Amino acid sequence: EADIYQTPRYLVIGTGKKITLECSQTMGHDKMYWYQQDPGMELHLIHYSYGVNSTEKGDLSSESTVSRIRTEHFPLTLESARPSHTSQYLCASSDMHEQFFGPGTRLTVL
Amino acid sequence: SQQGEEDPQALSIQEGENATMNCSYKTSINNLQWYRQNSGRGLVHLILIRSNEREKHSGRLRVTLDTSKKSSSLLITASRAADTASYFCATRSGGSNYKLTFGKGTLLTVNP
């Protein structure tokens, strides 16, 4: 079944740890996105990719980095997590207009 | 800068009533989309309206677009408790830019 997956769903870690949030889609979409969303707030685009080996920073500055080595995989990495990184991270993919979202990763940095 | 602004921020109605949410944006768009988000989950696409369209229907959803006023509305008719969620409008400016800019959302609560 075509879908978009994110792991882990929940992550609680200590300050200074390196983390990678995984995102995979089986729809063959070229375009993929990472959003950051605080509770009850709007989504902010932090990274996007229009294809393999192509990544761009989004509208909201983020200390995270991304890679796109395979079409289906778009992981996000934080080298040294801080409490200010506590948020929900949503991954999405699209073909043309409509974006398909994963369930999100809720990150808490203590 | 914020592109979409939903109004109201929160709406509480009884089952069976209609719910109307509004969205305003600032710059010219290629299309406007509405998404739904259940608490703590990802977003689900509801409907897309192109800049040359004025109204679109999908089941119990009706979307209007007024490009002269840079505004859109989402109407949910005969609401159900299961419609309780946050609703976001998102705009795409067009060209080779496929990014969407989301508004702050309207939290809809439908009471049984």
Side-chain angles (χ1 to χ4, degrees), chain B residues 17-53:
Chain B
E17 293 180 342
N18 295 342
T20 299
M21 289 159 270
N22 302 296
C23 169
S24 60
Y25 56 92
K26 297 175 183 175
T27 62
S28 61
I29 60 171
N30 175 284
N31 65 61
L32 185 145
Q33 303 175 36
W34 285 91
Y35 287 79
R36 163 194 168 126
Q37 183 181 35
N38 287 84
S39 179
R41 304 286 297 181
L43 279 70
V44 174
H45 182 266
L46 294 176
I47 195 166
L48 178 153
I49 187 165
R50 300 182 191 281
S51 59
N52 60 354
E53 297 176 310

Side-chain angles (χ1 to χ4, degrees), chain A residues 39 50 81 107:
Chain A
Y50 288 169
L107 173 65

Side-chain angles (χ1 to χ4, degrees), chain A residues 85-99:
Chain A
H85 296 138
T86 294
S87 189
Q88 173 157 260
Y89 293 83
L90 293 165
C91 180
S93 72
S94 73
D95 182 8
M96 286 293 290
H97 300 293
E98 173 185 350
Q99 291 190 11

Side-chain angles (χ1 to χ4, degrees), chain A residues 7-18:
Chain A
T7 57
R9 290 293 318 280
Y10 303 91
L11 181 60
V12 181
I13 59 167
T15 297
K17 299 292 186 183
K18 177 180 178 179

Side-chain angles (χ1 to χ4, degrees), chain A residues 9 31 33 35 37 40-43 45 48 50 59 88 90 95-99 101-104 106, chain B residues 2 30-31 33 35 37 40-43 45 48 50 88 92 96-104:
Chain A
R9 290 293 318 280
K31 305 170 190 62
Y33 314 83
Y35 294 90
Q37 183 187 30
M41 301 297 288
E42 69 265 46
L43 283 73
L45 181 68
Y48 64 100
Y50 288 169
D59 303 322
Q88 173 157 260
L90 293 165
D95 182 8
M96 286 293 290
H97 300 293
E98 173 185 350
Q99 291 190 11
F101 282 80
R106 187 167 294 280
Chain B
Q2 189 78 19
N30 175 284
N31 65 61
Q33 303 175 36
Y35 287 79
Q37 183 181 35
R41 304 286 297 181
L43 279 70
H45 182 266
L48 178 153
R50 300 182 191 281
F88 294 87
R92 181 192 161 205
S96 59
N97 179 356
Y98 291 92
K99 297 187 293 181
L100 293 179
T101 303
F102 286 83
K104 291 186 177 181

Side-chain angles (χ1 to χ4, degrees), chain B residues 30-89:
Chain B
N30 175 284
N31 65 61
L32 185 145
Q33 303 175 36
W34 285 91
Y35 287 79
R36 163 194 168 126
Q37 183 181 35
N38 287 84
S39 179
R41 304 286 297 181
L43 279 70
V44 174
H45 182 266
L46 294 176
I47 195 166
L48 178 153
I49 187 165
R50 300 182 191 281
S51 59
N52 60 354
E53 297 176 310
R54 292 295 166 260
E55 187 171 314
K56 205 160 183 181
H57 297 255
S58 176
R60 293 185 295 114
L61 305 180
R62 172 178 169 253
V63 169
T64 62
L65 178 65
D66 187 336
T67 52
S68 66
K69 295 182 180 178
K70 291 186 168 58
S71 67
S72 172
S73 68
L74 171 67
L75 168 66
I76 303 174
T77 60
S79 64
R80 306 164 181 168
D83 294 329
T84 295
S86 291
Y87 293 82
F88 294 87
C89 70

